[in-house]
Amino acid sequence: MVPGFSQYQFESKKAEKLYDKVNGYYENWENEKILKFEDDIRSLLMTRKDTMKALMYSFLAESYLYTGNYEQAITNYQAEIDLRREIEPDSPYLINVIFNLGYVLDEVGRYNETEDLYKEAMEIEEKRMGKSSQDYYDVAYALGEHYMFVEKPEEGLELTKTLRRNVERNSLNDAMVHKLDGDLYSLAGNYSRSIRNLETALEKLQDLGMYASVEYVSTLSSLAGVLNDMGKLPEAEEVFLEGRSILERLQGDQTEYIMILEGNLALNYTDLGNYDLAEEIYLKNLELDVEFYGEESYPYAVDAGNLA
């Protein structure tokens, strides 16, 4: 049962049974089944302007997101935001859905729509819990990554100064701020400071016992990218392959991280003149792009462009 709904007054027994069914699907990640009941959800559980309606927008948005329909996910996330702004403007749920919408908008390349969203969420959370809260960090970090997408490293580096002051030293968050700094300095062309921050991030992650983690691999991938940009192609390939080796040993579905790493490795192979290996990776990634995101997605466009 979703917190806060055990005492909810449903309009009918039919509505209550539908909620129990849909909530069970949600807890088991059965997104296609939720979408099959969309019409019933809207007619039975979304008739009042309340938190139940907001929750159903969230269920539908996530179901569309995980079945690859980004536009419908965006539509439902935006509807949830508009409703929560009206009925509970200081709620942590509003912060979460703003974060989710910003993530999806960045994923599909609609970058001009996300910065104000992230700043709104940061302002709400600062008033609610302060800049040291995990929610504030998560949204601010997402904004820092957004500045990478829109190629605004100066704004990103200003943001990481605030983050660094408010994270616990030698924590995972501290390590990942160094990683973000490394990425931003690389974008700014300051490779020496980029490598220094990325190596610091790797050291902190190792000290935390996180060598075998997606965080460590993503930092390795960033370091390899910097080495590649510096023309140190064999060294970059070695780092990329170390990251791939770690991912292959991790439990769980690491497909998204593998696709990112492999895409970067393909760029390295292209620079090395290993065009056949690069093409093999791009073709595999394109198949996965279609499966996870669809042919109209931004990731598909990137991989198709690189292949061409």
Side-chain angles (χ1 to χ4, degrees), residues 28-299:
N28 290 302
W29 296 83
E30 296 179 283
N31 300 296
E32 294 86 356
K33 291 184 179 180
I34 291 175
L35 295 177
K36 286 181 180 179
F37 284 91
E38 180 172 3
D39 289 342
D40 290 338
I41 290 170
R42 291 187 181 277
S43 64
L44 293 173
L45 297 173
M46 301 178 72
T47 58
R48 296 182 292 203
K49 193 179 291 186
D50 61 7
T51 53
M52 175 61 73
K53 185 174 185 177
L55 179 66
M56 291 302 106
Y57 277 132
S58 181
F59 279 17
L60 291 170
E62 290 190 30
S63 296
Y64 276 118
L65 175 63
Y66 293 123
T67 54
N69 191 331
Y70 278 43
E71 290 305 316
Q72 281 297 321
I74 290 169
T75 297
N76 282 278
Y77 276 137
Q78 186 61 65
E80 182 185 358
I81 288 174
D82 292 341
L83 179 57
R84 289 196 187 275
R85 281 173 176 157
E86 183 176 351
I87 65 176
E88 47 180 8
D90 299 321
S91 166
Y93 296 111
L94 176 57
I95 296 166
N96 290 340
V97 69
I98 289 175
F99 176 89
N100 291 339
L101 178 59
Y103 166 80
V104 179
L105 289 170
D106 276 340
E107 281 291 300
V108 299
R110 290 166 57 174
Y111 303 128
N112 62 321
E113 302 176 47
T114 57
E115 184 172 347
D116 288 342
L117 282 171
Y118 286 138
K119 288 182 175 180
E120 177 187 355
M122 289 166 62
E123 183 177 345
I124 294 170
E125 183 60 14
E126 183 178 355
K127 291 178 181 177
R128 198 178 72 89
M129 298 294 291
K131 291 184 177 181
S132 297
S133 75
Q134 185 63 40
D135 280 345
Y136 184 92
Y137 169 87
D138 289 340
V139 178
Y141 197 94
L143 177 57
E145 292 184 317
H146 167 78
Y147 285 134
M148 288 289 300
F149 299 144
V150 296
E151 299 185 357
K152 292 183 178 179
E154 294 80 10
E155 286 88 338
L157 290 167
E158 280 300 313
L159 178 65
T160 57
K161 290 179 183 178
T162 300
L163 281 175
R164 195 182 304 283
R165 286 195 297 268
N166 291 287
V167 298
E168 181 182 349
R169 287 193 62 189
N170 299 319
S171 64
L172 172 59
N173 288 351
D174 184 25
M176 297 312 291
V177 172
H178 278 285
K179 191 266 185 189
L180 181 56
D181 265 342
D183 290 336
L184 290 162
Y185 277 120
S186 173
L187 183 61
N190 191 333
Y191 295 136
S192 61
R193 296 196 72 169
S194 174
I195 289 176
R196 191 182 315 146
N197 275 279
L198 293 171
E199 289 180 340
T200 298
L202 291 171
E203 291 171 4
K204 289 178 180 289
L205 289 168
Q206 282 186 321
D207 290 343
L208 290 166
M210 297 183 65
Y211 173 78
S213 68
V214 293
E215 291 84 2
Y216 195 90
V217 171
S218 68
T219 308
L220 281 177
S221 182
S222 291
L223 177 59
V226 177
L227 294 171
N228 205 72
D229 289 342
M230 296 174 68
K232 297 183 178 182
L233 303 182
E235 294 93 330
E237 180 187 10
E238 183 178 341
V239 176
F240 277 131
L241 292 176
E242 179 185 355
R244 185 166 69 179
S245 174
I246 295 172
L247 279 179
E248 288 171 348
R249 299 196 303 271
L250 293 181
Q251 295 182 345
D253 184 3
Q254 308 301 336
T255 303
E256 183 176 358
Y257 295 99
I258 291 172
M259 289 168 65
I260 294 171
L261 183 69
E262 292 280 278
N264 291 333
L265 178 59
L267 290 173
N268 174 259
Y269 283 148
T270 300
D271 291 339
L272 284 167
N274 294 334
Y275 302 116
D276 290 341
L277 283 175
E279 181 179 9
E280 181 181 335
I281 291 173
Y282 285 135
L283 290 173
K284 182 179 179 181
N285 269 11
L286 283 172
E287 291 179 6
L288 293 170
D289 288 336
V290 172
E291 179 182 349
F292 283 89
Y293 309 116
E295 289 190 27
E296 302 301 319
S297 68
Y298 180 71

